[in-house]
Each structure stands twice: as C-alpha cells, then as structure tokens.
Amino acid sequence: NMGTSYHNTILVDEKEQYKPKRYNEKYEDTDGRIEAVYETPDFNYLSADAANMYRERNNDINGSPGKWMIKEFTRHVLFAKPDYLVMVDNIRSDATHRYDWISHFAEGGLITVEDDWIKGKENDADNNILGIKVLAPTGFRYTTGISTHPSDSNDKPYIRVRPSTNVDNTRFINVLYPTTSREWNNKPDMSLLGNTSQGAGVRVYLDGTEDHIFKYGTADEINIDEYRLKGEAASVLKDDSGTLRKIFIGNGSLLSDKNGDRILIQSLDTNKTFESEIER
C-alpha cells in the first residue's frame, strides 16, 4: 500500500492509501484481500476488495487508522483466454469523492486517447500496443504524465481516468486488449450490456459475440440485458447466427438468456464453477 499513485489502482481525492507513521506498525482492517479465484480452461476470474486500504490517518504518535474513506472498492477481473481482460471496479461511499483509475505503461511508451479507447504504444520493434476500451464512466476525463518512483530509475507513462464530476458511487468498466500497431484498426467492437448497482455486463464482438456478466451487489440474482445470473460471474459466447459456442459460470447455480426463456446452466450446487464448449 506504499506509493499508491505508482500502482495500477485508484486514488480517492488524489490521496494515497493508508499507511502508519511508523513503517513497522500493523493494524487490523487496513489490508486488502482476495475474495475469489476461479479457473477453467478458457477463463480466469478474480475478485479483490481493497476498501480497507482507503482510510484516514489519525494524528497520534503512530498515525493509527481513522475513518474509512469509502465503503467498497472491489475489483473483478475476467481473463477471456488468450485475447483480453475485462475489469470491473465497483466503488461505493457515503460521501462524494474524486476517483482516479490509474494505468501505467512500459518505459518510453506513448499514450494517446481515441474516443473511448486508450492506446498505450510500447517503444519496441514489434510496435506492441495495450488498448483499453473505457466503457464506464461515460464522458470520462483523463490526465497523463510520467511516474518517477524514488526507488525506481524507470520512468513510466501513466493515464488517470475519472468521472466527469465527483460522485459517491461509481464503476470503472474497462476491457484491456493487447494488439500491435498493424492490427490496431482491426480491434473488435465492444459495448456495455448493463451497469447497475447490482451488476454489469460487457459485450465483445469477436467471431460472433462474447458476453460477460458480473454480479457485485447484495441481490441473490441479477438481470443484465437478456441474461439472468445467480452467481458471481458468467460468460456466454455465440457465433454470428446466435448459436451457442461456449458457456462459463463462476461460483453460481443459474444462468439463462433470452430474458429467462432459455436455461443455459442450472445446478443444485450453489457454488458451481463450470465451463462447457458446445459441439457443432
């Protein structure tokens, strides 16, 4: 939690994460934690909660932890192997804040923004690019710069993305898509299926449609676009004709599409992690 601005995380009101005045002091409820990890042959899913790391520091001799700045900062990441990562950061607070989502790129790289795509071009012979499709917040603002960490001689370019106004609750929904300069104009289209206080959905148009659903609220199940999910995460891959190609569910028992008319996965086991490839 040292040097928050030098990492790929968020800043709250441009402040660092909590750290005591004395380096070796330890306090409960000041660490982040991994909440879930699921893996199948074609998908990896991880969620982590870092809200405890965003606390005020008291003005005592040790700089003990004060009040929480936010109620929730949970990061959900789905790796649709081997093509891209979908990242959903759900942030809640009882007060209005400025939230900055930070991403660093390789030393000597160049960052540009094209509509709602962030283009991070590496300084290498292969012209590698990390594209970041910003699906939420819409109408985002951003700043770029160079991070020079005191203990690291490598200067790394960064971008900070934030909502257009300060808010209490927000979500950063991004797709990280690695490619090259030659293939940049052939990157897939992407769209938002939903963005609510209970869940979100992302569609990637890649050899058909690849839909990814995330549940992060307190509801037992959610409806996102045409999908109903009782679980933590799910993916549905279809070809151009709408025929199912692959299904994934993480820690769940129910997944349906066509507004509930077609059950894709249903299990008596409420903690099922499952992938199925549909034979043609």
Side-chain angles (χ1 to χ4, degrees):
N1 64 350
M2 305 292 283
T4 311
S5 61
Y6 301 108
H7 293 83
N8 297 334
T9 182
I10 67 163
L11 291 176
V12 179
D13 297 327
E14 301 183 89
K15 295 180 181 178
E16 301 287 321
Q17 294 172 355
Y18 169 77
K19 55 180 178 287
K21 291 180 181 178
R22 297 183 179 181
Y23 184 76
N24 61 347
E25 290 290 337
K26 305 292 184 183
Y27 293 97
E28 292 183 348
D29 297 329
T30 59
D31 290 326
R33 62 180 183 272
I34 300 294
E35 293 195 323
V37 177
Y38 310 122
E39 182 176 8
T40 65
D42 293 308
F43 299 94
N44 286 102
Y45 169 83
L46 178 147
S47 64
D49 185 354
N52 281 339
M53 304 174 74
Y54 293 86
R55 298 186 63 167
E56 302 285 357
R57 188 172 70 180
N58 291 325
N59 197 28
D60 53 41
I61 188 171
N62 291 328
S64 61
K67 66 178 183 179
W68 277 263
M69 300 170 65
I70 55 178
K71 295 175 65 176
E72 179 182 353
F73 167 30
T74 305
R75 171 162 287 181
H76 308 260
V77 182
L78 178 72
F79 182 22
K81 306 174 189 176
D83 298 307
Y84 55 87
L85 295 166
V86 184
M87 183 179 293
V88 178
D89 291 335
N90 186 46
I91 304 169
R92 296 187 302 118
S93 176
D94 290 330
T96 298
H97 297 285
R98 168 174 168 164
Y99 301 112
D100 286 271
W101 185 91
I102 309 171
S103 181
H104 289 82
F105 296 84
E107 180 184 9
L110 176 66
I111 301 173
T112 56
V113 178
E114 301 178 4
D115 296 323
D116 51 8
W117 275 95
I118 299 167
K119 181 180 181 181
K121 183 178 180 299
E122 294 191 13
N123 183 22
D124 63 0
D126 295 326
N127 291 315
N128 288 311
I129 289 174
L130 175 60
I132 302 176
K133 174 74 168 184
V134 182
L135 293 166
T138 57
F140 63 90
R141 297 182 179 180
Y142 68 92
T143 56
T144 58
I146 303 293
S147 281
T148 305
H149 194 280
S151 62
D152 188 350
S153 60
N154 296 323
D155 297 340
K156 295 182 174 63
Y158 68 82
I159 187 166
R160 297 182 183 180
V161 174
R162 66 183 188 274
S164 58
T165 60
N166 291 353
V167 293
D168 49 2
N169 305 325
T170 194
R171 272 151 315 267
F172 293 95
I173 304 177
N174 301 303
V175 180
L176 283 64
Y177 182 78
T179 184
T180 63
S181 294
R182 176 177 294 180
E183 294 298 320
W184 176 250
N185 290 330
N186 297 323
K187 60 188 181 296
D189 291 331
M190 304 175 186
S191 63
L192 196 62
L193 291 177
N195 177 13
T196 76
S197 62
Q198 298 298 312
V202 170
R203 172 167 290 172
V204 178
Y205 298 88
L206 188 66
D207 298 326
T209 58
E210 303 190 355
D211 295 341
H212 309 289
I213 312 299
F214 302 82
K215 187 182 86 69
Y216 40 72
T218 58
D220 186 49
E221 62 182 55
I222 59 169
N223 291 92
I224 297 292
D225 196 68
E226 65 174 299
Y227 296 102
R228 177 184 172 201
L229 171 65
K230 193 171 185 178
E232 293 190 42
S235 296
V236 179
L237 280 59
K238 302 176 183 178
D239 64 20
D240 288 327
S241 67
T243 301
L244 286 172
R245 293 192 291 115
K246 194 172 294 182
I247 307 169
F248 161 78
I249 190 169
N251 194 32
S253 61
L254 176 67
L255 174 65
S256 68
D257 68 352
K258 299 184 182 298
N259 298 314
D261 288 343
R262 179 169 64 172
I263 302 298
L264 303 178
I265 295 174
Q266 190 167 24
S267 172
L268 295 177
D269 183 354
T270 59
N271 304 110
K272 189 74 172 178
T273 295
F274 176 84
E275 175 187 330
S276 177
E277 186 166 355
I278 311 301
E279 294 185 3
R280 304 188 190 186

